[in-house]
Amino acid sequence: SSATRTLPTPRWNPFSQPSSATRTLRLVESTDSLGRLKLLINDRPFSTVAAPDLRPTLGTSEIWCFDNPTPDAHPMHIHLIAFKVLHRVETLPDGSSITHPPEPDELGSKDVVNAYPGVTTCVKTSPFDIPGTYVVHCHILEHEDWEMMQTFDVQ
């Protein structure tokens, strides 16, 4: 007698939902009036109150693009959700651009992505499924401490 084997039910694909918005988060490195390093997102210091441009709607999926004109790579982490890397856009000195696909180790679900210098890295989020206030930040501890972190509100 042959045994019947039941295959597992395929898991829901959290990235199949259409994107409801595209947000750009610009990574900024500058210095303050005393010459100290300032590391910011969208040129804003950290606040526990989310800026109006960082308020995803509950149940939606979005595209978030990390625009990194700085000379450093920043491993960016978004709390609450997983995401998949869509592509990177590299701007060349002549103003033209090249779009690069995800790297081989970036093909699955991620929670940190490297935002390389001079490149805009775009990711698609899984649905924002729990209301509340969360953070997006650089995963280098010193950069978090220097305010390369922003809150976002899921409403």
Side-chain angles (χ1 to χ4, degrees):
S1 115
S2 64
T4 303
R5 186 174 145 201
T6 304
L7 297 175
T9 304
R11 291 183 351 170
W12 169 69
N13 178 354
F15 307 111
S16 61
Q17 180 173 323
S19 302
S20 65
T22 298
R23 299 180 193 274
T24 299
L25 291 90
R26 187 170 176 85
L27 310 181
V28 177
E29 289 184 16
S30 61
T31 55
D32 67 13
S33 60
L34 300 174
R36 297 175 297 194
L37 189 59
K38 284 176 42 178
L39 298 160
L40 305 173
I41 297 175
N42 288 345
D43 211 20
R44 291 191 296 256
F46 177 73
S47 171
T48 57
V49 177
D53 62 345
L54 285 175
R55 296 189 178 180
T57 302
L58 182 66
T60 64
S61 178
E62 298 186 346
I63 294 172
W64 285 25
C65 295
F66 296 100
D67 178 25
N68 184 7
T70 77
D72 299 308
H74 297 281
M76 300 305 297
H77 176 60
I78 306 172
H79 285 222
L80 174 65
I81 51 89
F83 54 80
K84 74 174 189 173
V85 179
L86 295 176
H87 59 267
R88 289 183 171 87
V89 179
E90 176 184 8
T91 303
L92 303 175
D94 67 2
S96 64
S97 62
I98 300 173
T99 300
H100 300 280
E103 295 173 4
D105 65 341
E106 295 178 321
L107 296 178
S109 180
K110 309 302 279 178
D111 70 349
V112 175
V113 66
N114 283 318
Y116 295 119
V119 174
T120 299
T121 303
C122 295
V123 302
K124 182 176 182 186
T125 71
S126 61
F128 294 94
D129 57 356
I130 303 172
T133 301
Y134 303 91
V135 294
V136 54
H137 61 89
C138 178
H139 229 283
I140 298 173
L141 184 57
E142 292 83 0
H143 293 194
E144 289 178 51
D145 290 346
W146 285 96
E147 299 189 325
M148 191 172 265
M149 181 180 337
Q150 287 291 307
T151 53
F152 64 94
D153 282 335
V154 178
Q155 308 171 5

